[in-house]
């Protein structure tokens, strides 16, 4: 079976995973719990967080057509944990097996300009933005939007990388140079009351479930803490959920989608970005919900009914970045702390090493 729609795969089947990081690892663990195996494919798969818990690993490039074909023929369906897998890779794999989310979803999510255009075309608000392919474009955008902006590379940014803040007196050429002189997007700076995200899972039959909106606090551009649920007005939470469902539907997504949003002081919801995969702000679902975001991805790409998003507890998830992970003895000794470590050998600064979830009485 090839192409888009996942066949219904019984336990025992093998899921192909593109990308070898912690999101793939936690998906593979959810798959194993349901009796499925994982075969990971990535240029850096050797010894990776995902390979450590997978039945098989292929170490090969995204453009190695022969290796991709062998991989596709050895698995029953393919998914991904990294949205920047080249679209051509996914198109090639789709000649041999189902791959979800598909190339159309990836091409939107890989490019901030396409992403914002797509969202705005649905009538959903974002910060004001302009595409910028030169320092002159940056200067023009700032003149139009206002002095406080954020310049971001259009592609491949994560954890605040590939971004430059612009304020009164910032030289547009310096901001442009700071992101490496690549194609960018200038966004108006949003003075948000808080940041929220909603994670949606959608099956090949169009069935959809959404976890409650959660609140995200960032430190140095990296997610620090997620509070589930978000402490926002019920109407705001409902609007955030509506927006995420609308986007998933318009993308014809099969899989899991996270939508990051800003909530302004007057309760308006503005979309920041999206990721068609499990998301750091959904890790709490592993410990607090009937089915986790990772299990939902397994179910969606195996053509199974989606699981329950019912929340059995509220939760606070804290990332362990770099040397934070050295606190594992203390965290293991803390009653009720649910510690997750990703099997990464080196605690480099800024690297996501693990997370800890603490459950709270359900509100
Ligand atoms: N337009 C903006 N206004 C205010 N803060 C922003 C804006 N864009 C990004 N940020 C801040 O930077 C963080 C990271 O930016 P984001 O666009 O989500 O990129 P990344 O891919 O690195 O997560 C956001 O979560 C938010 O805290
Ligand atoms: Mg983000």
């Amino acid at each position: 079976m090839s192409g888009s729609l996942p066949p219904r795969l019984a336990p025992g089947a093998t899921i192909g995973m593109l990308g070898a990081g912690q999101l793939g690892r936690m998906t593979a663990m959810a798959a194993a719990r349901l009796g499925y195996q994982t075969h990971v494919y990535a240029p850096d798969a050797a010894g990776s967080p995902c390979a450590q818990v997978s039945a098989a690993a292929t170490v090969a490039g995204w453009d190695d057509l022969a290796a991709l074909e062998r991989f596709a023929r050895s698995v029953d369906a393919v998914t991904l944990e990294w949205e920047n897998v080249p679209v051509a890779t996914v198109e090639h794999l789709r000649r041999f097996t189902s791959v979800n989310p598909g190339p159309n979803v990836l091409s939107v999510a890989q490019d901030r300009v396409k992403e914002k255009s797509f969202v705005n075309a649905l009538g959903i608000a974002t910060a004001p933005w302009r595409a910028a392919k030169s320092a002159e474009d940056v200067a023009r955008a700032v003149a139009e939007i206002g002095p406080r902006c954020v310049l971001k590379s259009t592609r491949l940014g994560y954890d605040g990388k590939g971004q430059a803040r612009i304020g009164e007196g910032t030289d547009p050429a310096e901001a442009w140079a700071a992101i490496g002189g690549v194609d960018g997007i200038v966004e108006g700076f949003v003075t948000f009351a808080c940041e929220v995200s909603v994670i949606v899972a959608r099956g090949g039959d169009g069935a959809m479930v959404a976890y409650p909106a959660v609140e995200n606090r960032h430190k140095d551009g990296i997610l620090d803490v997620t509070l589930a649920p978000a402490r926002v007005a019920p109407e705001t939470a409902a609007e955030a959920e509506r927006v995420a469902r609308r986007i998933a539907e318009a993308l014809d997504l099969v899989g899991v989608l996270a939508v990051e949003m800003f909530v302004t002081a007057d309760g308006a919801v503005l979309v920041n970005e999206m990721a068609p995969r499990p998301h750091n702000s959904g890790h709490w679902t592993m410990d607090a919900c009937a089915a986790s975001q990772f299990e939902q991805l397994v179910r969606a790409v195996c053509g199974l009914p989606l699981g329950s998003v019912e929340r059995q507890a509220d939760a606070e998830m804290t990332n362990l970045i770099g040397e934070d992970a050295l606190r594992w003895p203390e965290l293991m000794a803390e009653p009720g702390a649910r510690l997750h470590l990703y099997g990464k050998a080196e605690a480099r600064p800024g690297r996501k090493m693990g997370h800890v979830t603490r459950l709270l009485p359900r509100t």
Side-chain angles (χ1 to χ4, degrees):
M1 150 87 72
S2 64
S4 54
L5 278 187
R8 184 173 186 139
L9 298 175
T14 299
I15 300 168
M17 173 61 67
L18 304 174
Q22 65 268 17
L23 302 175
R25 175 188 181 90
M26 290 183 272
T27 305
M29 290 163 78
R33 193 173 100 169
L34 293 178
Y36 295 84
Q37 305 203 40
T38 299
H39 178 164
V40 55
Y41 183 112
D44 56 352
S48 63
C50 187
Q52 290 170 24
V53 301
S54 295
T58 296
V59 182
W62 299 123
D63 57 356
D64 186 337
L65 299 184
L68 287 167
E69 180 173 346
R70 271 196 307 277
F71 166 71
R73 291 190 188 281
S74 76
V75 300
D76 299 295
V78 171
T79 188
L80 51 97
E81 61 116 49
W82 188 53
E83 68 276 25
N84 294 307
V85 172
V87 168
T89 301
V90 169
E91 282 170 342
H92 183 64
L93 290 169
R94 272 200 169 189
R95 296 170 56 197
F96 314 106
T97 189
S98 79
V99 187
N100 286 292
N104 299 342
V105 177
L106 296 185
S107 85
V108 171
Q110 287 177 357
D111 181 310
R112 293 188 193 275
V113 169
K114 280 191 196 161
E115 186 174 75
K116 291 221 164 44
S117 306
F118 186 89
V119 166
N120 291 157
L122 298 175
I124 295 169
T126 58
W129 60 271
R130 301 282 186 281
K133 291 174 184 284
S134 66
E136 293 71 45
D137 287 352
V138 175
R140 198 173 317 116
V142 172
E144 289 174 13
I145 294 172
R148 278 193 87 191
C149 291
V150 186
L151 171 64
K152 303 178 183 176
S153 64
T154 306
R155 304 179 73 90
L156 295 171
Y158 71 99
D159 288 349
K161 293 185 175 56
Q163 299 194 13
R165 296 278 169 101
I166 296 176
E168 296 277 3
T170 304
D171 177 359
E174 263 173 41
W176 173 250
I179 68 158
V182 294
D183 284 2
I185 182 171
V186 179
E187 298 177 12
F189 188 87
V190 180
T191 45
F192 51 78
C194 69
E195 290 187 84
V196 300
S197 55
V198 171
I199 293 172
V200 174
R202 188 168 181 274
D205 58 356
M208 230 188 316
V209 291
Y211 293 98
V214 298
E215 190 173 328
N216 301 318
R217 292 201 304 250
H218 294 81
K219 203 156 78 184
D220 304 326
I222 307 176
L223 183 65
D224 177 25
V225 173
T226 293
L227 298 177
R231 299 162 304 176
V232 295
E235 311 81 68
T236 306
E239 174 60 7
E241 180 177 330
R242 187 194 67 81
V243 161
R245 284 176 177 268
R246 179 78 188 90
I247 293 171
E249 199 170 63
L251 287 170
D252 199 18
L253 172 92
V254 177
V256 168
L257 176 79
V259 181
E260 299 179 14
M261 293 165 263
F262 301 123
V263 178
T264 63
D266 54 8
V269 170
L270 305 175
V271 167
N272 173 30
E273 63 166 352
M274 60 173 114
R277 52 162 170 79
H279 190 262
N280 197 166
S281 69
H283 291 357
W284 67 280
T285 61
M286 297 168 87
D287 293 306
C289 296
S292 73
Q293 61 168 348
F294 304 102
E295 180 173 332
Q296 304 289 8
L297 178 59
V298 170
R299 286 170 174 259
V301 302
C302 290
L304 305 168
L306 299 173
S308 164
V309 292
E310 192 188 322
R311 180 175 94 251
Q312 282 140 2
D314 290 0
E316 181 173 320
M317 188 282 318
T318 305
N319 268 338
L320 302 173
I321 308 291
E323 299 206 329
D324 293 347
L326 302 179
R327 288 173 40 221
W328 64 263
E330 161 197 339
L331 293 166
M332 280 193 191
E334 181 186 325
R338 320 252 168 155
L339 178 63
H340 301 255
L341 295 171
Y342 305 151
K344 298 182 184 178
E346 240 188 297
R348 288 199 293 271
R351 195 173 198 208
K352 289 176 176 167
M353 303 298 295
H355 69 270
V356 57
T357 301
R358 296 177 174 95
L359 299 181
L360 306 159
R362 216 194 116 136
T363 49

